[in-house]
Amino acid sequence: MRAVILAAGKGSRLRAFFKKPKPLIPLLGLPLIVRNILALKECGISDCIIITGCYADEIRDYLGSGRQLGVNITYLHNSDWKLGNGVSASTFQELYSPKEKYILMMADHVFELDLLKSVIEAAKDMDEEELLLASDSRLEKVFDLDECTKIMATGNRAEILGKDLKNFNAVDCGLFVDTGALQKALSQSIAEGAYTLTAAVNKLAEQGKVKLHFVDHYWVDVDDPASYKYGETMLLRSLVPPKDGFISRLINRKFSLRITKLLSSTKITPNQITVISFLVAIASAISFAFLNPILGGLLAQFSSILDGVDGEIARLKYLQSKYGEIFDSLLDRYADYFIVLGMSYAWYLTSENPLAVLLISAAALMGLPLSMLFKEKYKTVTGKPYLPEINDGKLRYLPANRDGRLFLIMLGGILNLIPVTLIILAVVTHLQTLSRLKIARKII
Amino acid sequence: MRAVILAAGKGSRLRAFFKKPKPLIPLLGLPLIVRNILALKECGISDCIIITGCYADEIRDYLGSGRQLGVNITYLHNSDWKLGNGVSASTFQELYSPKEKYILMMADHVFELDLLKSVIEAAKDMDEEELLLASDSRLEKVFDLDECTKIMATGNRAEILGKDLKNFNAVDCGLFVDTGALQKALSQSIAEGAYTLTAAVNKLAEQGKVKLHFVDHYWVDVDDPASYKYGETMLLRSLVPPKDGFISRLINRKFSLRITKLLSSTKITPNQITVISFLVAIASAISFAFLNPILGGLLAQFSSILDGVDGEIARLKYLQSKYGEIFDSLLDRYADYFIVLGMSYAWYLTSENPLAVLLISAAALMGLPLSMLFKEKYKTVTGKPYLPEINDGKLRYLPANRDGRLFLIMLGGILNLIPVTLIILAVVTHLQTLSRLKIARKII
């Protein structure tokens, strides 16, 4: 499937703030159009046709052939861009192959990746001569409803569209999959002197040919400073993975998302953040070993927060790598080990019972990798992820996952309760593993 | 796809030894026909038609509806079974649906599971009116060539088949996939007074309709005590998985396969063996802790051998379970932990430097789960297994996998070199992990 991206408009309302053509305005480290191109690539679409108009040269100069992004970009120019976005969309006619199914999207809309994925999935089930339109019926969740193109829908068919519609039950997200019907309708409506995309879509709607795909992810048309800010917030929120533990959700993400926002405009890579998080953990271990448990505990928690940032930056900027994932999880285990070893050493220095130190430290160390071991094994054996938030039941409040363990260590450090913390760590990790074995027996 | 299993013959040569109809003779814990039914089920085929003749009642009484095996069995009886196996095979005609593709196999042949899988895979690419015949061109590897039905093949087409063929380059494994052609040929040849399967297959061979699938796994027609013994050896050998480490391959499997052979006829389950292996590991840990390192070391190695048996029994008797796999790998980690902890405790009792005991024991404990952690993570992230024997390169001789680690522990116990063993364990496990991270970076 190919994608056609409309990038012909002027976008004057944001120009004043960024001094750039709107498609090139950076949002959390990626220009709007680049984010859409990379999202398409993530969905397996690497042939893009960009329709330029105003600022054609700037956009071409910036994106080039697309090789740097790992995609192929073809440019089409619409010198009549001022007439309306329907004229821009119809420019694609010269490259269109009969019956080709393609995506049509706006360069300046921001979508959650899962929204795009769901549209592509829905496009598998389309009739010929049909237009699929992503639409949002969760009106209370739509940003700046006034500015949206409204839709009156019956079932999953659009009856009529328009910006000033009085009666409507959905809005247009600016994302289409066309099988040729739209191109025909565009030719007709342009011939009749109606130059907007909406005019052509309305022609199809009259014939019952506009199928709606109702989204349940977020999107926004970035148009002004308020929608720009909303886009940032929405994307940041989408970075929290469903596998998150409750400490991570309640505390860590509040900080990590802020750090991610700050770092997104820099060139720092996820693997570099992984290494920094590891070094902070080492600093925590050393602080414990030098009998500064308060600093040790705080650094452990800071390392835990940074441990979320690498993944967030990777997802945010499409920098995920398989190696990065393996590297991160192994380094996390070492980080855990060193922190607990630092605590054990500190305890040893002040204890008169080295055997207790040996046995309890061993029990704590042994427990550290078990959560990961179980989850990974569960996934390789069953093919499904083990989701603590769902599968663990009440057990999910046991601070035995990494976020919980490091939070315990912070508390233990601040309160200078190292032996107790090690005992609790040992108990919760082993208890979790034994309980999970029981759970697995039931749910497999 | 349905499977037709011929179980009509008398099989007199083995009757003297087992006092049972041949299909019901147990081989490594499963009657021959049950092994074939479970192998078919493993390949997704759960509808079996069993053609009985001699001993029809015994076979029906034993297998019933097949519910206990998790399959549906339909019986067809051939009262003229003495005439020849072609008559038995043609009995299926009354249930055959036009153009149906089905497997035809002999109840008393033993196949490696992968052989059956490869035939079913090959059957996807068959023309209508074609017969697919599993055949073995590795004549030097065929058991009792004299007794086999020989084939003269050109390319993958059979020209002629016969037991007394002078010129031949393959033999018939007794496993077919028919699309109807065979049933027609059987009717013709029976009408002409030729009652064997070979006669009908030869009719098709003359028309170039017998496509050969050349196998590269083992099989045997169990006919007499020698072939029975060969079947046992062949199946046991097939239980060694490709992921085995070199200590396991060189030493452990030599013992574990013997234990598996002994236990196969009992009702012991794989999970019970997992627990026994764990208890032996606990006994090893206690022996170390009570300063009997020789016994500790030997028990550790024995536990390592038993750790192979659960999987062997599971694969041999089709008792694999997803839960069993998770349970086994978690219990193995605990077994490792306890043995090393037992060693650490022993060292602590005799050492004057508890700090060295603490730090080195910690390093060894930390290293124990890393190999599994890496491999599981690698698999969940890349979708492919990490195969130490291939991916590790020269690193595979590092005794850092479980078989190697427990072998080191045995040596360390026998030689009473506990501190040195713990140091070596720590070094090899961490070295392996760091090297694998380097390898992963290259191969992902």
Side-chain angles (χ1 to χ4, degrees), chain A residues 115-157:
Chain A
L115 189 155
L116 187 59
K117 281 184 181 165
S118 77
V119 170
I120 290 171
E121 187 57 35
K124 287 182 184 162
D125 180 31
M126 277 175 72
D127 290 342
E128 272 181 44
E129 296 289 298
E130 204 171 54
L131 177 71
L132 185 74
L133 169 53
S135 56
D136 202 337
S137 59
R138 310 164 309 160
L139 298 178
E140 73 291 355
K141 292 186 176 174
V142 168
F143 182 81
D144 202 358
L145 198 56
D146 278 357
E147 285 293 312
C148 292
T149 301
K150 285 89 177 168
I151 306 174
M152 186 65 218
T154 307
N156 65 351
R157 293 285 149 184

Coordinates of all heavy atoms in Angstrom, one line a residue, chain A residues 115-157:
Chain A
L115 N -3.8 4.2 16.4 CA -4.9 4.7 15.5 C -4.6 4.3 14.1 O -5.5 3.7 13.4 CB -5.1 6.2 15.7 CG -6.4 6.8 15.1 CD1 -6.8 8.1 15.8 CD2 -6.2 7.1 13.6
L116 N -3.4 4.7 13.6 CA -3.0 4.4 12.3 C -3.1 2.9 12.0 O -3.6 2.4 11.0 CB -1.6 4.9 12.0 CG -1.1 4.9 10.6 CD1 -2.0 5.6 9.6 CD2 0.3 5.4 10.5
K117 N -2.6 2.1 12.9 CA -2.6 0.6 12.8 C -4.0 0.1 12.6 O -4.3 -0.7 11.8 CB -2.0 0.0 14.0 CG -0.4 0.0 14.0 CD 0.2 -0.8 15.1 CE 1.7 -0.7 15.1 NZ 2.3 -1.2 16.4
S118 N -4.9 0.7 13.4 CA -6.3 0.2 13.4 C -6.9 0.5 12.0 O -7.7 -0.3 11.5 CB -7.1 0.7 14.5 OG -7.5 2.0 14.3
V119 N -6.6 1.7 11.5 CA -7.2 2.0 10.2 C -6.7 1.1 9.1 O -7.4 0.6 8.2 CB -6.8 3.5 9.8 CG1 -7.2 3.8 8.4 CG2 -7.5 4.5 10.8
I120 N -5.4 0.8 9.1 CA -4.8 -0.1 8.1 C -5.4 -1.5 8.2 O -5.7 -2.1 7.2 CB -3.2 -0.1 8.3 CG1 -2.7 1.3 7.8 CG2 -2.6 -1.2 7.4 CD1 -1.3 1.5 8.1
E121 N -5.6 -1.9 9.5 CA -6.3 -3.2 9.7 C -7.7 -3.2 9.1 O -8.1 -4.1 8.4 CB -6.3 -3.5 11.2 CG -6.8 -4.9 11.6 CD -6.0 -6.0 11.0 OE1 -4.8 -5.8 10.8 OE2 -6.6 -7.0 10.6
A122 N -8.4 -2.1 9.4 CA -9.8 -2.0 8.9 C -9.9 -1.9 7.4 O -10.8 -2.4 6.7 CB -10.5 -0.7 9.5
A123 N -8.8 -1.4 6.8 CA -8.8 -1.3 5.3 C -8.7 -2.6 4.6 O -9.0 -2.7 3.4 CB -7.6 -0.4 4.9
K124 N -8.4 -3.7 5.3 CA -8.3 -5.0 4.7 C -9.7 -5.4 4.3 O -9.9 -6.3 3.4 CB -7.8 -6.0 5.7 CG -6.3 -5.8 5.9 CD -5.7 -6.9 6.8 CE -4.2 -6.6 7.1 NZ -3.8 -7.4 8.3
D125 N -10.7 -4.9 5.0 CA -12.1 -5.3 4.7 C -12.9 -4.2 4.1 O -13.7 -3.5 4.7 CB -12.7 -5.8 6.1 CG -14.1 -6.2 5.9 OD1 -14.5 -6.7 4.8 OD2 -14.9 -6.0 6.8
M126 N -12.6 -3.9 2.8 CA -13.3 -2.8 2.1 C -13.8 -3.3 0.8 O -13.2 -4.1 0.2 CB -12.3 -1.6 1.8 CG -12.0 -0.7 3.0 SD -10.7 0.5 2.4 CE -11.6 1.5 1.2
D127 N -14.9 -2.7 0.4 CA -15.4 -3.0 -0.9 C -14.7 -2.2 -1.9 O -14.2 -1.1 -1.6 CB -16.9 -2.7 -1.0 CG -17.7 -3.7 -0.2 OD1 -17.2 -4.8 0.1 OD2 -18.9 -3.5 0.1
E128 N -14.7 -2.6 -3.2 CA -14.2 -1.7 -4.3 C -15.2 -0.5 -4.3 O -16.3 -0.6 -4.0 CB -14.3 -2.5 -5.6 CG -13.1 -3.3 -5.9 CD -13.2 -4.0 -7.2 OE1 -13.6 -3.3 -8.2 OE2 -12.8 -5.1 -7.3
E129 N -14.6 0.6 -4.8 CA -15.5 1.8 -4.9 C -16.0 2.3 -3.6 O -17.0 2.9 -3.5 CB -16.7 1.5 -5.9 CG -16.3 1.1 -7.3 CD -15.7 2.3 -8.0 OE1 -16.5 3.3 -8.2 OE2 -14.5 2.3 -8.4
E130 N -15.2 2.1 -2.6 CA -15.6 2.5 -1.3 C -14.5 3.4 -0.7 O -13.3 3.2 -1.0 CB -15.8 1.3 -0.3 CG -16.8 1.6 0.8 CD -17.1 0.3 1.6 OE1 -16.1 -0.4 2.0 OE2 -18.3 0.0 1.7
L131 N -14.9 4.4 0.1 CA -13.9 5.2 0.8 C -14.0 4.9 2.3 O -15.1 5.0 2.9 CB -14.1 6.7 0.5 CG -13.2 7.7 1.2 CD1 -11.8 7.6 0.6 CD2 -13.8 9.1 1.1
L132 N -12.8 4.6 2.9 CA -12.8 4.4 4.3 C -12.3 5.7 5.0 O -11.3 6.3 4.6 CB -11.9 3.3 4.7 CG -11.9 2.8 6.2 CD1 -13.2 2.1 6.5 CD2 -10.7 2.0 6.5
L133 N -13.1 6.2 6.0 CA -12.7 7.4 6.6 C -12.6 7.2 8.1 O -13.5 6.7 8.8 CB -13.9 8.4 6.3 CG -13.9 9.7 7.1 CD1 -12.5 10.5 7.0 CD2 -15.0 10.6 6.5
A134 N -11.4 7.5 8.7 CA -11.3 7.4 10.1 C -12.1 8.5 10.8 O -11.9 9.7 10.4 CB -9.8 7.6 10.5
S135 N -12.9 8.2 11.7 CA -13.7 9.2 12.3 C -13.9 8.9 13.8 O -13.7 7.8 14.3 CB -15.1 9.2 11.7 OG -15.7 7.9 11.8
D136 N -14.2 10.0 14.6 CA -14.1 9.9 16.0 C -15.5 10.2 16.5 O -16.0 11.3 16.3 CB -13.1 10.9 16.6 CG -12.7 10.5 18.0 OD1 -13.5 9.8 18.7 OD2 -11.6 10.9 18.4
S137 N -16.2 9.3 17.2 CA -17.5 9.5 17.7 C -17.5 9.9 19.2 O -18.5 10.1 19.8 CB -18.4 8.3 17.5 OG -17.9 7.2 18.1
R138 N -16.3 9.9 19.8 CA -16.2 10.3 21.2 C -16.1 11.8 21.3 O -15.0 12.3 21.6 CB -14.9 9.6 21.7 CG -14.9 8.1 21.4 CD -13.5 7.5 21.7 NE -12.5 8.3 21.0 CZ -11.2 8.3 21.3 NH1 -10.7 7.6 22.3 NH2 -10.4 9.1 20.6
L139 N -17.1 12.5 21.0 CA -17.1 13.9 20.7 C -16.5 14.7 21.9 O -15.8 15.7 21.8 CB -18.5 14.5 20.4 CG -19.1 13.9 19.1 CD1 -20.5 14.4 18.9 CD2 -18.2 14.2 17.9
E140 N -16.8 14.2 23.2 CA -16.3 14.9 24.3 C -14.7 14.8 24.4 O -14.1 15.6 25.1 CB -16.9 14.3 25.6 CG -16.5 12.9 26.1 CD -16.9 11.8 25.1 OE1 -17.6 12.0 24.2 OE2 -16.5 10.6 25.4
K141 N -14.1 13.8 23.7 CA -12.7 13.7 23.7 C -12.0 14.4 22.6 O -10.8 14.4 22.5 CB -12.3 12.2 23.7 CG -12.8 11.5 25.0 CD -12.3 10.1 25.1 CE -12.6 9.4 26.4 NZ -12.3 8.0 26.5
V142 N -12.7 14.9 21.7 CA -12.1 15.6 20.5 C -11.6 17.0 20.8 O -12.3 17.7 21.5 CB -13.2 15.7 19.3 CG1 -12.7 16.5 18.2 CG2 -13.5 14.3 18.8
F143 N -10.4 17.3 20.4 CA -9.8 18.6 20.7 C -10.4 19.6 19.7 O -10.4 19.4 18.5 CB -8.3 18.5 20.5 CG -7.6 19.8 20.9 CD1 -7.4 20.2 22.2 CD2 -7.3 20.7 19.8 CE1 -6.9 21.4 22.5 CE2 -6.7 21.9 20.2 CZ -6.5 22.3 21.5
D144 N -10.8 20.7 20.2 CA -11.3 21.9 19.4 C -12.4 21.4 18.4 O -12.2 21.6 17.2 CB -10.1 22.5 18.7 CG -10.5 24.0 18.3 OD1 -11.6 24.4 18.6 OD2 -9.6 24.6 17.8
L145 N -13.5 21.0 18.9 CA -14.6 20.5 18.1 C -15.0 21.5 17.0 O -15.3 21.1 15.9 CB -15.8 20.2 19.0 CG -16.9 19.2 18.5 CD1 -16.3 17.9 18.0 CD2 -17.9 19.0 19.5
D146 N -15.0 22.8 17.4 CA -15.4 23.8 16.4 C -14.7 23.7 15.1 O -15.2 23.9 14.0 CB -15.1 25.2 17.0 CG -16.2 25.6 18.0 OD1 -17.2 24.9 18.1 OD2 -16.0 26.7 18.6
E147 N -13.4 23.4 15.2 CA -12.5 23.5 14.0 C -12.7 22.2 13.1 O -12.1 22.1 12.0 CB -11.1 23.6 14.4 CG -10.7 25.1 14.8 CD -10.8 26.0 13.6 OE1 -10.3 25.7 12.5 OE2 -11.4 27.1 13.8
C148 N -13.3 21.1 13.7 CA -13.3 19.9 13.0 C -14.4 19.8 11.9 O -15.4 20.6 11.9 CB -13.7 18.7 14.0 SG -12.4 18.4 15.2
T149 N -14.2 18.9 11.0 CA -15.2 18.6 10.0 C -16.1 17.6 10.6 O -15.7 16.5 11.0 CB -14.5 18.0 8.7 OG1 -13.6 19.0 8.2 CG2 -15.6 17.7 7.7
K150 N -17.4 18.0 10.7 CA -18.4 17.1 11.4 C -19.0 16.1 10.4 O -19.0 16.3 9.2 CB -19.5 17.9 12.0 CG -19.1 18.7 13.2 CD -18.6 20.0 12.9 CE -18.2 20.9 14.1 NZ -17.4 22.0 13.7
I151 N -19.5 15.0 11.0 CA -20.1 13.9 10.2 C -21.4 13.6 10.8 O -21.5 13.4 12.0 CB -19.2 12.7 10.1 CG1 -17.8 13.0 9.7 CG2 -19.8 11.6 9.2 CD1 -16.8 11.8 9.8
M152 N -22.4 13.4 10.0 CA -23.7 12.8 10.4 C -23.6 11.4 9.9 O -23.6 11.1 8.7 CB -24.9 13.5 9.8 CG -26.2 13.1 10.4 SD -26.4 13.4 12.1 CE -27.2 11.9 12.7
A153 N -23.6 10.4 10.8 CA -23.4 9.0 10.5 C -24.7 8.2 10.8 O -25.3 8.5 11.8 CB -22.2 8.4 11.2
T154 N -25.0 7.2 10.0 CA -25.9 6.2 10.4 C -25.2 4.9 10.3 O -24.7 4.5 9.3 CB -27.1 6.2 9.4 OG1 -27.6 7.5 9.2 CG2 -28.2 5.2 9.8
G155 N -25.1 4.2 11.5 CA -24.3 3.0 11.6 C -22.9 3.4 11.2 O -22.4 4.5 11.7
N156 N -22.2 2.7 10.3 CA -20.9 3.1 10.0 C -20.8 3.7 8.6 O -19.8 3.6 7.9 CB -19.9 1.9 10.1 CG -20.2 0.8 9.1 OD1 -21.2 0.8 8.4 ND2 -19.3 -0.2 9.0
R157 N -21.9 4.3 8.2 CA -22.0 5.1 6.9 C -22.1 6.6 7.2 O -22.9 7.0 8.0 CB -23.2 4.6 6.1 CG -23.1 3.2 5.6 CD -22.1 3.0 4.4 NE -21.6 1.7 4.5 CZ -20.6 1.2 3.7 NH1 -20.1 2.0 2.7 NH2 -20.2 -0.1 3.8

